[in-house]
Amino acid sequence: MIDNQTIFQTLVEIENSLRFLAANGCRGFAPTGHVLEKLEKWGKGREAFTETLESIQADLGDCQRCNLARGRNRIVFGDGSPNARLMFIGEGPGAEEDRQGKPFVGAAGQLLTRIIAAMKRSRDQVYICNIIKCRPPGNRNPESDEIKTCFPFLARQIAAIQPDFIIALGTIAAQTLLGTATSISRLRGRFHEYQGIKVVPTYHPAYLLRNPDKKRDVWEDMKMLMKEYQYED
Ligand code: URA
């Protein structure tokens, strides 16, 4: 049995190590919800260990880390509440998002807004972002090195928000978060997990615009989520 004094000393040593790493340029720490709960019980607020969305965005800066920087107009960091319990993650910005610097503001975005409204929520109560933050030329799929370069920032956004549920919109979001090559049609319909957070993979709104018969499946996925989620209306 470890005594409280040892636990406290260990925490202080961890804190000192993290401060040392931060002072030497290390950015980003993604504790799971489970770890955060433990730290809070031990009297350390999560603010002591997690970053804010503002500090992550500042670190991202005028990102030139991959080739997408050359063709983009605006970085699309994310939008919504930093305290959101629901986080929607898409693939990457399209033309309209690139123009406005906001996620899901084009045709697919309007459908996503309607899905969120059907869940009795508004866009400012949830958080919306993408696997990559810059528009790929001609809206092609993001390449694996682009995802690899961008993903640490998304991981830090997730760690900062600590949502209860992540809705992974489409193949790229679901496969990236879950580290799998399984198709979206096989992933959807049940809960998965990312860092202790429940993940609900479902079809991308742009796919729904082309295949309206799949809207029923998305609504089934959202109903599954709502059943699990204690709504405070
Ligand atoms: N499609 C996405 O995946 N993300 C957006 O922000 C817009 C369209």
Side-chain angles (χ1 to χ4, degrees):
M1 185 69 181
I2 307 174
D3 59 281
N4 281 347
Q5 177 73 9
T6 309
I7 291 171
F8 183 73
Q9 271 169 3
T10 306
L11 278 176
V12 169
E13 276 172 32
I14 293 170
E15 187 172 0
N16 287 342
S17 303
L18 290 173
R19 287 192 192 290
F20 174 81
L21 288 170
N24 284 282
C26 175
R27 296 283 176 272
F29 173 52
T32 62
H34 178 66
V35 169
L36 281 172
E37 258 173 46
K38 282 231 159 79
L39 291 170
E40 278 168 357
K41 271 195 205 132
W42 290 343
K44 289 279 173 185
R46 69 169 49 188
E47 331 64 69
F49 295 93
T50 53
E51 304 176 279
T52 61
L53 291 174
E54 288 77 14
S55 65
I56 299 165
Q57 191 165 10
D59 188 23
L60 182 67
D62 178 32
C63 186
Q64 304 290 326
R65 291 169 182 82
C66 83
N67 283 337
L68 295 180
R70 279 196 257 133
R72 70 154 188 254
N73 285 305
R74 314 251 321 241
I75 295 178
V76 179
F77 181 72
D79 193 30
S81 166
N83 305 312
R85 293 180 65 198
L86 302 181
M87 186 162 180
F88 290 81
I89 302 181
E91 181 179 316
E96 195 52 38
E97 290 76 20
D98 177 65
R99 238 188 311 275
Q100 295 191 34
K102 283 192 174 177
F104 281 99
V105 287
Q110 284 164 21
L111 179 52
L112 178 61
T113 305
R114 290 204 296 279
I115 294 170
I116 294 169
M119 298 169 77
K120 303 210 164 36
R121 286 290 174 270
S122 60
R123 282 179 65 117
D124 54 12
Q125 288 175 306
V126 304
Y127 194 82
I128 306 174
C129 59
N130 285 301
I131 294 289
I132 56 162
K133 299 191 183 334
C134 297
R135 182 187 182 212
N139 289 349
R140 64 157 168 75
N141 284 348
E143 286 171 4
S144 61
D145 62 318
E146 293 158 358
I147 294 177
K148 217 162 145 192
T149 307
C150 214
F151 189 76
F153 291 92
L154 175 61
R156 289 162 63 185
Q157 285 170 284
I158 297 170
I161 295 169
Q162 283 292 320
D164 293 332
F165 295 91
I166 293 173
I167 299 96
L169 299 167
T171 305
I172 300 280
Q175 292 185 342
T176 304
L177 282 167
L178 301 176
T180 178
T182 306
S183 69
I184 186 70
S185 58
R186 296 185 62 152
L187 290 170
R188 64 154 294 276
R190 60 201 157 91
F191 290 105
H192 299 256
E193 207 183 283
Y194 168 83
Q195 300 267 318
I197 300 167
K198 289 199 178 77
V199 176
V200 180
T202 198
Y203 294 120
H204 192 286
Y207 176 76
L208 296 183
L209 292 175
R210 298 189 301 271
N211 300 274
D213 55 311
K214 296 289 183 194
K215 284 182 185 171
R216 187 189 300 267
D217 287 340
V218 171
W219 187 234
E220 287 303 319
D221 294 336
M222 296 307 105
K223 281 200 295 194
M224 176 184 79
L225 183 161
M226 289 188 288
K227 219 166 143 194
E228 188 90 353
Y229 173 20
Q230 305 303 308
Y231 262 78
E232 301 133 22
D233 280 320

